[in-house]
Amino acid sequence: MKASNTLTPVILSGGAGTRLWPLSRRARPKPFLNVVGEGSLFAQTLNRVDAAPFRTPLIICNEAHRFLVAEETRAAGLDADIVLEPCPRNTAPAIAAAAFRLLQHQTDQLMAVVPSDHVIDDGAAFLTAAE
């Protein structure tokens, strides 16, 4: 039996813009670059989670990238809950913030942590694994 909208994707989006320098910069780190395929890595991540079993995404991003996140989310036609980090704190604190945010709404939600700078060629396999 397939699950139906039971998993909240927590999209981690940030970065210092140093890994793919000179393409990436502090103002436009790797997730917001079109590295492979169509659209930025962030846009591809949004597209991957725009299907069952996923609920509305929770996006954790740096305050400096809030406009990039809003623009890409709007272009994808998705609603999202966006949490802004006042300063970068790395992965574990971002996941903890997401867990606390989800606990505010419902105590038994499942979340899938989905970095926004990964390339996943087989979207169908990704959805199957999530289900």
Side-chain angles (χ1 to χ4, degrees), residues 22-46:
L23 296 176
S24 65
R25 304 273 195 220
R26 181 173 297 178
R28 189 174 290 277
K30 182 170 57 168
F32 302 102
L33 298 177
N34 183 347
V35 178
V36 62
E38 292 187 33
S40 70
L41 294 173
F42 184 80
Q44 291 175 31
T45 302
L46 290 174

Side-chain angles (χ1 to χ4, degrees), residues 50-97:
D50 188 19
F54 294 109
R55 294 178 179 206
T56 300
L58 171 61
I59 301 169
I60 308 289
C61 71
N62 188 292
E63 189 172 6
H65 306 135
R66 68 190 181 279
F67 296 116
L68 293 170
V69 167
E71 178 184 315
E72 297 251 2
T73 303
R74 191 172 23 258
L78 289 177
D79 289 324
D81 185 8
I82 300 172
V83 175
L84 301 177
E85 296 177 310
C87 59
R89 293 289 184 207
N90 294 321
T91 303
I95 293 170

Side-chain angles (χ1 to χ4, degrees), residues 109-125:
Q109 282 193 44
L110 295 175
M111 68 181 200
V113 177
V114 185
S116 63
D117 62 354
H118 290 183
V119 174
I120 297 177
D121 290 327
D122 192 343

